[in-house]
Structure formats: structure tokens, C-alpha cells
Amino acid sequence: MTPETAATPPLSLTPELLDAVRRIARTDHLLVAMDFDGTISPIVDHADAARPLQRSATAFAELAKLPRTTTALISGRALASLRAVASPPEATLLIGSHGAEAWMGPGSAELQLDDAQRELLAEVREVLAGISQEAPGTVLEDKPAGVVLHTRRADDDVAEDAVAAARAVLEGRPGVFLKNGKRVLETSVVHSSKGEAVEFLRRATSATGILFAGDDVTDEDAIARLGAGDVGVKVGLDFTQAEFRVEAPVHVAELLEAVLRERRREVSGDASHM
């Protein structure tokens, strides 16, 4: 049984969320920005095994083809990892490493660290490697600007001790930036956030309305930067600033299908789509 044919959790799209979808679909230039893990893809134990739900992937790809509509993925993953697991539509813009990396089309410049940042990153990795060796079930993930301490497969007390040990050494260290996520501690030598990424994409695409959905603590940065006419959707039951909520990635598929349906109606008369 696949995740999409398994029993569907009870919380789906509310009438209020559907009304918001209809409203945002009427904006002049729509940006549909999605987190990946836990949003388009279910959370899995092994990061390289993540894949988007087929319904979500199909609706997202169709949205990318519409006039006056831009799609984007905003992820904590490095860009290379995001491309590998998401297989995004060619026109989709990509933000990786919580905003430290960006792909805005052919010719986009790769992230470059200076000598001081590279040296600092090596020091951070050495610290985290020492902690991970003493914490069974924890693993490290290297990114272009940082290192992630993953604790999903560690016992709760081991995970808490490992994160506390890392913070004790790295918190407050000049040039090192820390972010908590779901069973991860993100470290980076480049200051960035999904909130800054949302604002960057708004300017770069001249979007007049944004629909964003995400499940993690770091997605709250993006939700906080949305404007009065935008739509923010929390995936899951954790605390959120978002006005709307769905329970699971299967409902994100339903959300994307609703956006696609309403947006198609809005742009059906565009000459560029005929």
C-alpha cells in the first residue's frame, strides 16, 4: 500500500482555506512556493529516499506551465539533494540550504564561500563529527555552507544531549548560524532564512500573491514574511503563525489540485495560454 492509498487522516481542506485558494488564484502573478520534506514529500528516515507524492508532483508540474504563475521549492536541503529527490519541473525556481543557495534559471551563480568561511565550516564539521561519534543514531549531512546534525534515528535522550552539546560549543560563535528543525540541528556559515527567501522570490518574480506551505519550524520564518493578501498553510499539528492548516502531505496534494483548478479558470483567457 502506497502513502497515497493508505487511510487518509481526517483533517482536509476547510471551506475557509478553499475560499482563500479561490481568492489567491485571482491575483495577477501567482507564486506557489512549497517546502519539500514533510510537505510535498512525506518524512522518511533516509533523506535520499524522499520522493514527492505523485498527485502533488503532477499538480505542481501543471501549475508551472500556466501563464502568470511561478512555482518554487524552498528547502533546507542543498540544491543538489533537492534536485535529486524532487525532480522539479524545468521552470520551477529552487531555493536550497534555507536560502543560502538559489537557482533562478540557467546561468545562476553557485554559492561561493570565502577562505574564512571555508575554514570556519571545517571547524564546525570537526565539532559535530566528534559529538556524532559519541551519540549513536546521529548522522551528519554536509551542505555547501553548513553541516546538519540529524537525530531522527537516535533515542530521544541521546538526540537531546547531542543537540545540547553542539549548541554549547557553537552557539554565539561569530560567523556560525544555528537553526532547530524536526530532529535536526542546522549549522551554517552563511546567514539565511526561508523568510528572506520568500521576500527574494517575491521581488525576483514580481509576484502579486504568494501561496506557501511548509511543515517545519524553519518554515515559520517564511510564513511570518507573508503579506495580508498571501496564503500561508501549515502542514501538521504543531504551533504555527499560519492562518490555515492541513494535517499531512496527502492534503497538500489536495491543496495543489485546488490551486491548479482555480488558477486554470483565472488564466484560461490569456492569449499566451491559447
Side-chain angles (χ1 to χ4, degrees):
M1 181 176 290
T2 67
E4 289 172 280
T5 58
T8 302
L11 182 60
S12 190
L13 306 189
T14 64
E16 292 79 11
L17 176 52
L18 288 172
D19 284 344
V21 166
R22 295 184 189 102
R23 172 179 54 78
I24 198 72
R26 294 194 292 269
T27 197
D28 183 60
H29 191 113
L30 175 63
L31 171 63
V32 181
M34 295 278 122
D35 173 44
F36 182 74
D37 294 280
T39 301
I40 287 181
S41 167
I43 294 290
V44 295
D45 288 336
H46 299 278
D48 58 357
R51 293 294 184 275
L53 294 181
Q54 187 56 56
R55 287 173 57 197
S56 290
T58 299
F60 198 64
E62 290 300 310
L63 279 164
K65 298 176 184 178
L66 296 182
R68 297 187 285 119
T69 306
T70 302
T71 55
L73 293 176
I74 304 178
S75 177
R77 287 178 180 263
L79 281 185
S81 173
L82 182 60
R83 285 194 183 96
V85 298
S87 300
E90 184 177 356
T92 294
L93 307 180
L94 304 177
I95 302 292
S97 300
H98 298 284
E101 298 180 275
W103 186 85
M104 303 298 289
S108 294
E110 294 185 0
L111 174 67
Q112 298 290 334
L113 302 182
D114 60 30
D115 291 342
Q117 287 172 320
R118 284 192 291 271
E119 181 178 346
L120 183 57
L121 180 56
E123 294 172 3
V124 169
R125 195 189 195 287
E126 184 177 0
V127 168
L128 293 179
I131 292 170
S132 183
Q133 287 174 1
E134 301 297 323
T138 66
V139 294
L140 301 185
E141 176 193 357
D142 291 300
K143 295 183 180 180
V147 184
V148 185
L149 176 65
H150 289 268
T151 64
R152 187 174 301 279
R153 286 178 279 168
D155 292 340
D156 289 347
D157 57 342
V158 173
E160 291 174 7
D161 288 347
V163 170
R167 282 194 167 277
V169 177
L170 298 175
E171 200 157 33
R173 185 165 181 174
V176 178
F177 306 96
L178 306 180
K179 290 186 177 72
N180 282 326
K182 290 185 176 179
R183 302 292 292 212
V184 299
L185 177 67
E186 301 263 0
T187 73
S188 178
V189 296
V190 173
H191 182 270
S192 60
S193 74
K194 290 186 178 182
E196 292 170 345
V198 162
E199 292 192 337
F200 167 73
L201 288 173
R202 189 194 300 275
R203 294 192 301 269
T205 63
S206 299
T208 55
I210 299 175
L211 184 142
F212 174 83
D215 76 305
D216 210 341
V217 176
T218 55
D219 294 309
E220 292 298 310
D221 292 335
I223 290 168
R225 302 290 184 99
L226 298 177
D230 300 326
V231 176
V233 181
K234 175 73 171 185
V235 184
L237 302 180
D238 295 337
F239 170 81
T240 184
Q241 304 169 77
E243 184 177 0
F244 304 103
R245 184 191 298 273
V246 297
E247 190 170 344
V250 66
H251 299 131
V252 175
E254 186 180 348
L255 172 64
L256 287 170
E257 288 169 349
V259 176
L260 175 61
R261 181 174 62 250
E262 297 300 328
R263 188 62 175 169
R264 272 179 170 162
R265 290 173 181 166
E266 172 64 22
V267 302
S268 60
D270 283 30
S272 59
H273 190 50
M274 294 176 64

